[in-house]
Amino acid sequence: MMLKLLLKTTIALLISFIQPSLSFINAKSRLGPSRLTSSRLHLIDRQSDKSKYGRGIDHISADIGQGDVIAYQDGTWFVDGTEVGDGSPATVRYCLVDTVQIVWTHDCEHGLVYGFDLTVADNNDGQVSSDEHGAIIKKGNIFIIQNESYVQCGPEQILCRIPVSSTELESKDVTKQAYASNADFNPIDEIMTA
């Protein structure tokens, strides 16, 4: 009887130590394409969301992985208020992440994200939807790897992670992997300015 009580007390004590650490682990879990629930398919993780992301290990780049679809700024962007890039007008591009090679410190992130360049097409008519700032994603849009070009961007260029679900497109005896999005994303709302 005494042994049983001691065992119950020990188990309760262990659970009280383990439970807070489990809630810490789940506080910032990774939710890539295969890890999304249907209730999260419309939510976009934005680097600009200061309640969730910041610098260093809190940067969105620490929360992305292979298979995620990201939007990133190309042309000209800003790092700590300094203009960088090639000087051309800012545009938003999309990438299916293949590899993340980044080092994070307490307040900065250095490295590259590699992946496949994506084209956004309207699911209803197959047309590409875009404006001068980049493709606008509307509910029901799909991402397609058009030319299989491999691209890279730095962590400071990442604007957001867009939730997608994997699907296949069939046309003329060719099947392509595609990624459908239920999110609304307008590049003009996301482009970084000084």
Side-chain angles (χ1 to χ4, degrees), residues 20 45 63 68 74 78 86 109 116 138 159:
D45 290 325
D63 210 18
D68 285 333
D74 199 21
F78 295 86
D86 63 13
E109 52 286 329
F116 295 96
K138 298 176 184 157
L159 300 171

Side-chain angles (χ1 to χ4, degrees), residues 37-57:
T37 61
S38 61
S39 64
R40 290 201 29 100
L41 278 173
H42 68 285
L43 300 177
I44 295 176
D45 290 325
R46 290 176 164 80
Q47 172 61 33
S48 61
D49 181 356
K50 299 301 180 201
S51 68
K52 188 171 184 179
Y53 295 111
R55 297 294 308 268
I57 196 65

Side-chain angles (χ1 to χ4, degrees), residues 61-78:
S61 61
D63 210 18
I64 63 171
Q66 185 178 33
D68 285 333
V69 171
I70 61 169
Y72 67 97
Q73 188 163 330
D74 199 21
T76 302
W77 64 94
F78 295 86

Side-chain angles (χ1 to χ4, degrees), residues 5-161:
L5 181 62
L6 181 62
L7 186 58
K8 281 184 178 181
T9 306
T10 304
I11 291 172
L13 188 58
L14 283 172
I15 289 173
S16 70
F17 283 118
I18 293 172
Q19 207 163 18
S21 65
L22 289 177
S23 64
F24 172 74
I25 290 168
N26 291 330
K28 195 171 180 187
S29 62
R30 296 177 71 154
L31 293 171
S34 61
R35 301 172 294 268
L36 285 169
T37 61
S38 61
S39 64
R40 290 201 29 100
L41 278 173
H42 68 285
L43 300 177
I44 295 176
D45 290 325
R46 290 176 164 80
Q47 172 61 33
S48 61
D49 181 356
K50 299 301 180 201
S51 68
K52 188 171 184 179
Y53 295 111
R55 297 294 308 268
I57 196 65
D58 292 329
H59 194 269
I60 194 169
S61 61
D63 210 18
I64 63 171
Q66 185 178 33
D68 285 333
V69 171
I70 61 169
Y72 67 97
Q73 188 163 330
D74 199 21
T76 302
W77 64 94
F78 295 86
V79 177
D80 298 329
T82 303
E83 185 177 301
V84 293
D86 63 13
S88 64
T91 60
V92 174
R93 295 179 62 186
Y94 303 94
C95 171
L96 174 66
V97 175
D98 181 46
T99 306
V100 177
Q101 290 184 321
I102 298 177
V103 175
W104 300 273
T105 66
H106 68 287
D107 68 348
C108 62
E109 52 286 329
H110 300 283
L112 291 170
V113 174
Y114 299 91
F116 295 96
D117 193 28
L118 294 174
T119 298
V120 180
D122 187 316
N123 196 20
N124 297 322
D125 61 12
Q127 298 298 311
V128 173
S129 58
S130 66
D131 65 8
E132 69 273 14
H133 300 289
I136 298 170
I137 300 168
K138 298 176 184 157
K139 291 185 180 194
N141 280 161
I142 54 175
F143 294 97
I144 307 168
I145 300 174
Q146 285 290 82
N147 53 13
E148 296 193 20
S149 63
Y150 209 62
V151 295
Q152 67 183 30
C153 68
E156 70 279 354
Q157 292 175 262
I158 300 172
L159 300 171
C160 67
R161 174 177 50 198

Side-chain angles (χ1 to χ4, degrees), residues 159-172:
L159 300 171
C160 67
R161 174 177 50 198
I162 300 170
V164 295
S165 59
S166 182
T167 187
E168 290 183 348
L169 295 177
E170 294 181 25
S171 64
K172 298 181 184 174

